[in-house]
Amino acid sequence: MSVLTSYRVTWEQKGSTTSRTETCLVDSDDMTRPGDPEQLHGLLRQMLAIRYLPIGQVVPANIVLQDVVPVCNCEPHPGESCAWAEHKGHRFYLQTSARPGYEVIIDRHDNEILGTVRNTLSVEFLTMVRQRYSHQ
């Protein structure tokens, strides 16, 4: 199932000192390696180059990313504040497990445990959960 994630991206054209901030949507189907920041940054550079660079300079390498921030999916609704804003918009988080070598993925929405994961895989798993469910 395809999931769209919004990012607020601050960037500048290589060689320029003027930065711009744009909102970009990334489709999870375009990611062959979910959770890989390098692939995400490559997709964002490509998208920005196509959209904003003059013909002849439309090359992702001509885009310098300064900041990439996921946009809370409750921001587009006027007058509503994000319930997880105090946690940088993250609904899901990691906590140390009572079981040695494991961490627990917890949902702040209902304070329920989603799963217990080996600590070597916990960050990747948390990233996949955040990409999949965001604040839904």
Side-chain angles (χ1 to χ4, degrees):
M1 181 175 149
S2 177
V3 176
L4 294 176
T5 305
S6 295
Y7 293 92
R8 190 169 295 116
V9 182
T10 303
W11 64 280
E12 66 183 37
Q13 184 174 353
K14 194 178 241 180
S16 172
T17 58
T18 307
S19 64
R20 298 173 59 169
T21 301
E22 307 293 340
T23 300
C24 299
L25 281 174
V26 175
D27 189 333
S28 62
D29 285 348
D30 294 337
M31 299 282 291
T32 56
R33 299 179 314 270
D36 179 5
E38 286 304 313
Q39 185 181 31
L40 172 65
H41 291 178
L43 288 170
L44 292 170
R45 281 187 193 96
Q46 180 180 12
M47 189 181 307
L48 292 167
I50 291 168
R51 235 189 259 162
Y52 298 105
L53 295 183
I55 295 173
Q57 296 179 12
V58 181
V59 178
N62 287 335
I63 299 288
V64 177
L65 300 179
Q66 296 173 337
D67 195 27
V68 177
V69 179
V71 176
C72 170
N73 67 359
C74 47
E75 278 186 23
H77 306 290
E80 291 184 27
S81 59
C82 173
W84 299 280
E86 65 194 74
H87 305 287
K88 297 183 181 180
H90 292 151
R91 172 178 167 177
F92 305 99
Y93 68 100
L94 284 174
Q95 184 173 324
T96 304
S97 171
R99 187 173 171 192
Y102 286 81
E103 291 182 288
V104 177
I105 308 289
I106 298 179
D107 183 347
R108 283 190 175 94
H109 175 68
D110 51 15
N111 211 29
E112 292 291 319
I113 294 174
L114 292 176
T116 303
V117 183
R118 212 178 260 285
N119 60 8
T120 56
L121 300 173
S122 59
V123 173
E124 289 177 51
F125 185 75
L126 178 62
T127 301
M128 288 186 335
V129 168
R130 284 181 175 165
Q131 287 179 339
R132 173 73 172 99
Y133 295 104
S134 191
H135 298 345
Q136 299 169 12

